[in-house]
Amino acid sequence: FQFSAGCPKIEIGISCFSMCNKLKQITIPETVKLIEDFAFEYCTSLEQVIIPSSVTMIGSHAYNNSKILYKVS
C-alpha cells in the first residue's frame, strides 16, 4: 500500500487498516508521527511494514493478530 502523494498524514488512526486482509506490505510516510491502537489488527496477509524514524509512538496492539508479519523496519 502506498499513500497518495500530496496527502499528508500525521497519524494512522485507531483500527484504520483493521481487517484489511489483502494488505501485504505498507510503507509509512515520513509525515506520520503516530500509529494508533489496533491500526493493523487482523491484517492476516500483512508481511512487511516499513516505519520511518518520524514515528515516535506505536499504540497498544497496533499489529495484533497480524500473524505472518515477518519484517518491521
Side-chain angles (χ1 to χ4, degrees), residues 31-43:
T31 56
V32 172
K33 299 184 183 327
L34 169 65
I35 298 173
E36 292 272 7
D37 300 345
F38 306 103
F40 297 95
E41 180 182 40
Y42 290 103
C43 289

Side-chain angles (χ1 to χ4, degrees), residues 23-57:
L23 183 65
K24 289 187 172 206
Q25 188 269 344
I26 188 165
T27 300
I28 308 294
E30 291 284 337
T31 56
V32 172
K33 299 184 183 327
L34 169 65
I35 298 173
E36 292 272 7
D37 300 345
F38 306 103
F40 297 95
E41 180 182 40
Y42 290 103
C43 289
T44 56
S45 296
L46 187 62
E47 297 175 351
Q48 181 177 9
V49 179
I50 300 171
I51 302 172
S53 60
S54 62
V55 174
T56 57
M57 184 182 156

Side-chain angles (χ1 to χ4, degrees), residues 1 12 15-26 38-49 61-70:
F1 179 84
I12 296 180
S15 300
C16 183
F17 290 96
S18 182
M19 297 186 182
C20 288
N21 296 326
K22 294 186 180 195
L23 183 65
K24 289 187 172 206
Q25 188 269 344
I26 188 165
F38 306 103
F40 297 95
E41 180 182 40
Y42 290 103
C43 289
T44 56
S45 296
L46 187 62
E47 297 175 351
Q48 181 177 9
V49 179
H61 306 288
Y63 300 96
N64 190 42
N65 288 308
S66 295
K67 297 182 185 220
I68 65 170
L69 181 62
Y70 71 90

